Amino acid sequence: MLENLKSKGLIKSQLVLDVVDRDKAIVFIDLIDKTIMEYENIQELSVTLKEVESELLNNRDQIRLLLKNNEELNSEVDSLKDKIKSKNEEINDLKEENSLLKSSLEHLKNLIYNLVKFLMDRIYRNKDKEKYMEFAKELYEHGALDDEDFNLLQDNKKTNNKNKSVIEKDDIER
């Protein structure tokens, strides 16, 4: 194309180009412009791909860290579940023991009530009064009877009738 250039008459530094060659040059320049634009787009795409790759590597590290944390949390949850199970078993054992203690206490209350009632019956019988009153006093001195029960036994027969009804109403509270 450059060989086909012709000089313009009087001015030697100016060259004339045929229309066909000019059209070829314009198409060639357009093709170069498109190539440059495509190269710039490829450069942008390359930079974007490098950024995506870097972000993907960072995300992989974060995923690994999150998976590790998740495993640790699952392990902690399992440990807490075991502790809860152990505590529930302990609670059930304590409830059972509490129930046994309540029934034992109820039994002891009934025994003490029956003992006081027996002593009252014996003390208020003239035949055995002194012997059982002395026995009640020894029980009181050794802490087997409290003040209220001992005072009840010492009262006379009139207050005994009143106190029998009190004992029957109040037997479970002691």
Side-chain angles (χ1 to χ4, degrees):
M1 180 162 40
L2 293 177
E3 291 93 28
N4 295 338
L5 292 177
K6 297 178 187 163
S7 308
K8 195 176 184 182
L10 300 170
I11 304 173
K12 286 190 173 190
S13 61
Q14 289 186 348
L15 299 173
V16 177
L17 189 61
D18 289 340
V19 173
V20 173
D21 288 337
R22 181 188 61 98
D23 289 341
K24 285 182 186 178
I26 290 174
V27 169
F28 182 72
I29 290 172
D30 286 341
L31 185 62
I32 290 175
D33 287 341
K34 285 181 185 177
T35 304
I36 290 173
M37 283 198 330
E38 285 179 13
Y39 179 77
E40 287 174 354
N41 286 341
I42 289 173
Q43 286 294 74
E44 287 178 24
L45 183 61
S46 176
V47 168
T48 303
L49 285 175
K50 285 181 181 180
E51 289 174 358
V52 167
E53 181 182 17
S54 173
E55 191 174 322
L56 182 62
L57 290 174
N58 288 338
N59 287 343
R60 283 184 184 160
D61 291 340
Q62 286 180 339
I63 288 171
R64 281 189 200 112
L65 179 65
L66 290 173
L67 286 173
K68 182 180 177 186
N69 288 344
N70 193 25
E71 287 175 11
E72 290 172 0
L73 288 174
N74 283 336
S75 184
E76 188 174 339
V77 165
D78 290 341
S79 173
L80 290 173
K81 283 180 181 179
D82 290 342
K83 284 182 181 179
I84 288 172
K85 183 180 178 182
S86 172
K87 294 299 179 184
N88 283 338
E89 289 173 359
E90 185 178 344
I91 287 170
N92 289 335
D93 291 344
L94 289 173
K95 283 181 179 179
E96 186 177 321
E97 184 179 343
N98 189 18
S99 176
L100 290 173
L101 288 173
K102 281 182 181 180
S103 66
S104 296
L105 178 64
E106 192 64 35
H107 180 70
L108 286 174
K109 284 180 182 180
N110 288 336
L111 286 176
I112 291 173
Y113 170 75
N114 289 334
L115 176 65
V116 170
K117 186 176 177 190
F118 173 78
L119 287 174
M120 286 177 65
D121 289 345
R122 296 296 177 200
I123 288 172
Y124 291 111
R125 280 183 23 193
N126 286 332
K127 179 179 172 186
D128 300 326
K129 182 176 184 178
E130 288 302 317
K131 182 171 81 172
Y132 282 102
M133 193 58 201
E134 190 176 316
F135 178 66
K137 186 176 179 183
E138 286 182 26
L139 287 175
Y140 174 71
E141 288 172 355
H142 287 89
L145 291 177
D146 61 9
D147 291 336
E148 186 178 340
D149 289 335
F150 184 68
N151 291 335
L152 183 64
L153 291 172
Q154 286 182 331
D155 287 343
N156 63 24
K157 205 168 200 177
K158 288 182 184 177
T159 57
N160 180 35
N161 290 335
K162 292 179 188 176
N163 289 333
K164 272 191 180 180
S165 64
V166 169
I167 287 176
E168 289 172 1
K169 291 179 186 175
D170 197 36
D171 64 338
I172 302 299
E173 291 179 3
R174 290 190 237 152

